[in-house]
Amino acid sequence: MKRVTIKDIANALGIAPSTVSRALSGSTRVHPDTIKRVLDKAKELDYQPNFVASSLRKGQNNTIGILVPRINRHFFSGVVSAIEEVLNPAGFASLIIQSHEKLEKEKQAIDVLLQNRVAGILMSHSNETDDFSHILRAVQNRIPVVQFDRVSAEVPGARFANDNFTGGYLATKHLINGGYKKIAHFAGSLENSIYKERYRGYVRALEESGCKVDSSLVYENAITKELGYAKALEVLKSRDIDAFFCAGDFSAIGVFQAANDLNIPIPSKVGLVGFANEPFAELISPQLSSVEQNAYDMGNMAATAMLNIINRKAAPDYSYQEIVPVRLLVRESSVKDKTTNITVKM
């Protein structure tokens, strides 16, 4: 689908392209009724104004949009840093936007990137994203989209995702091997592919070890520190739980604080494993066991794929997906008996 131009709007309305151009800029030389007609038709045809005309006159645009849920997460800042290490030497600048985990903000961000006629979009979806029509607009406008971390097969383009299933499996299996038997799982939204995969890994480890899979021990949407804390207080007071596998380190910190407030020692009474290996994991005591997501590798691969598409070194493979390996970093929070050598194999 070709991009809609000022000439397309002019032809649709039967007026001169110069009139359309002046109407779009709000010129007082154009009658208000005509301006309204032009704006309505532009919206109908999904016209995207060009805010980087100088770049296009040179036949190129050297800006890549990077859309992330939150830049203050260690993982996403690591991915962005790795992306820029690839893009900047190749002569591309970055336009970084946060969705703050909101679908509406993600839609607004895509609008901004389309308006700026970016050469490509590298993105990870918000927690709320369950509709991808706004991203498909970019694809229809021939802007390559490369997804990382939170990806969807509904969006054509290369995808790079962590091996979230293996991460969930390794974390849970490690707790089981360490003697923990009643393991709760604090998950994100199970409509989100990454949290669904971490949950599947948790289930597989339990089943493989002959442990009962108790759905009442799975708590969805408990991924923030505040929700992790509130839910852990409730669970530790009312359930016979001896370990937690949290789908994020912030949730694990909430569990850590709740156990501390209830004078429940970690790891002797409750084991704890998180996911993401945030910097604070090594700063608390006991140190937090966590799954490392290898942000640098993911960012490097996603940015390299984008450059290859833009430079036409590779045709866009709309079904390509690469799984980035993860590893479990065992620390104090999940080792009940320090004399035991606990190993986990797939």
Side-chain angles (χ1 to χ4, degrees):
M1 181 183 294
K2 75 181 188 70
R3 287 172 173 162
V4 175
T5 66
I6 285 176
K7 187 175 180 180
D8 294 326
I9 299 173
N11 289 339
L13 294 174
I15 59 179
S18 58
T19 302
V20 173
S21 180
R22 286 193 290 268
L24 290 171
S25 65
S27 172
T28 56
R29 296 169 58 189
V30 181
H31 193 280
D33 289 345
T34 302
I35 291 177
K36 184 178 186 307
R37 289 177 59 214
V38 168
L39 293 177
D40 289 345
K41 182 58 67 174
K43 183 175 182 180
E44 176 187 330
L45 298 177
D46 197 24
Y47 169 74
Q48 299 297 326
N50 182 358
F51 292 115
V52 286
S54 60
S55 293
L56 292 183
R57 280 197 297 270
K58 297 175 185 176
Q60 62 180 1
N61 187 328
N62 293 333
T63 302
I64 304 287
I66 305 175
L67 177 54
V68 295
R70 291 185 185 276
I71 197 65
N72 66 348
R73 294 296 188 260
H74 177 63
F75 171 72
F76 288 118
S77 63
V79 171
V80 170
S81 179
I83 288 173
E84 291 192 318
E85 279 191 27
V86 174
L87 295 183
N88 294 164
F92 287 88
S94 305
L95 177 55
I96 304 168
I97 307 179
Q98 302 179 75
S99 67
H100 296 285
E101 301 288 13
K102 299 295 182 183
L103 174 58
E104 197 55 41
K105 286 187 178 294
E106 183 176 292
K107 290 180 178 180
Q108 293 168 4
I110 292 293
D111 284 341
V112 169
L113 296 175
L114 289 176
Q115 289 166 5
N116 281 275
R117 302 279 187 170
V118 293
I121 299 173
L122 288 149
M123 71 173 298
S124 183
H125 303 294
S126 80
N127 259 334
E128 293 183 354
T129 303
D130 56 3
D131 169 62
F132 304 95
S133 57
H134 56 298
I135 306 166
L136 295 177
R137 289 176 54 216
V139 178
Q140 291 162 357
N141 277 279
R142 297 182 182 179
I143 296 176
V145 176
V146 173
Q147 302 170 81
F148 61 88
D149 187 44
R150 302 177 189 173
V151 304
S152 171
E154 293 186 39
V155 178
R159 304 184 297 276
F160 296 86
N162 277 129
D163 191 350
N164 290 291
F165 172 84
T166 296
Y169 174 91
L170 292 175
T172 308
K173 191 73 171 179
H174 164 66
L175 287 168
I176 293 170
N177 287 351
Y180 298 103
K181 301 183 183 303
K182 296 279 286 186
I183 305 170
H185 177 40
F186 280 10
S189 168
L190 295 181
E191 296 298 315
N192 187 306
S193 62
I194 66 169
Y195 298 122
K196 184 186 296 182
E197 287 301 296
R198 292 173 195 179
Y199 165 73
R200 285 204 321 112
Y202 161 81
V203 170
R204 174 66 64 83
L206 290 173
E207 291 176 337
E208 192 178 272
S209 302
C211 299
K212 179 184 177 182
V213 178
D214 186 348
S215 60
S216 71
L217 297 183
V218 178
Y219 300 89
E220 196 173 352
N221 294 313
I223 201 65
T224 65
K225 181 179 73 172
E226 294 76 17
L227 291 174
Y229 175 80
K231 186 56 65 175
L233 279 180
E234 173 189 328
V235 171
L236 289 170
K237 289 177 180 178
S238 62
R239 303 293 302 270
D240 181 21
I241 300 294
D242 64 359
F244 292 83
F245 162 48
C246 297
D249 281 351
F250 283 89
S251 176
I253 280 292
V255 174
F256 185 93
Q257 292 178 336
N260 185 64
D261 287 352
L262 295 173
N263 294 315
I264 298 175
I266 295 174
S268 60
K269 293 298 183 182
V270 171
L272 180 61
V273 179
F275 206 112
N277 193 32
E278 294 285 346
F280 58 71
E282 292 187 280
L283 301 178
I284 61 176
S285 181
Q287 292 182 334
L288 176 66
S289 296
S290 188
V291 177
E292 168 61 56
Q293 295 179 269
N294 297 317
Y296 180 86
D297 291 344
M298 181 175 290
N300 185 284
M301 288 188 285
T304 299
M306 176 63 75
L307 286 185
N308 287 339
I309 294 170
I310 292 174
N311 295 328
R312 291 179 171 80
K313 292 180 181 178
D317 183 348
Y318 292 135
S319 62
Y320 179 79
Q321 176 163 320
E322 186 160 344
I323 302 300
V324 180
V326 299
R327 58 196 175 106
L328 175 64
L329 300 178
V330 176
R331 301 190 179 103
E332 299 166 335
S333 69
S334 59
V335 182
K336 188 187 305 187
D337 182 358
K338 294 183 180 180
T339 65
T340 302
N341 181 25
I342 300 170
T343 59
V344 180
K345 295 181 180 180
M346 284 297 292

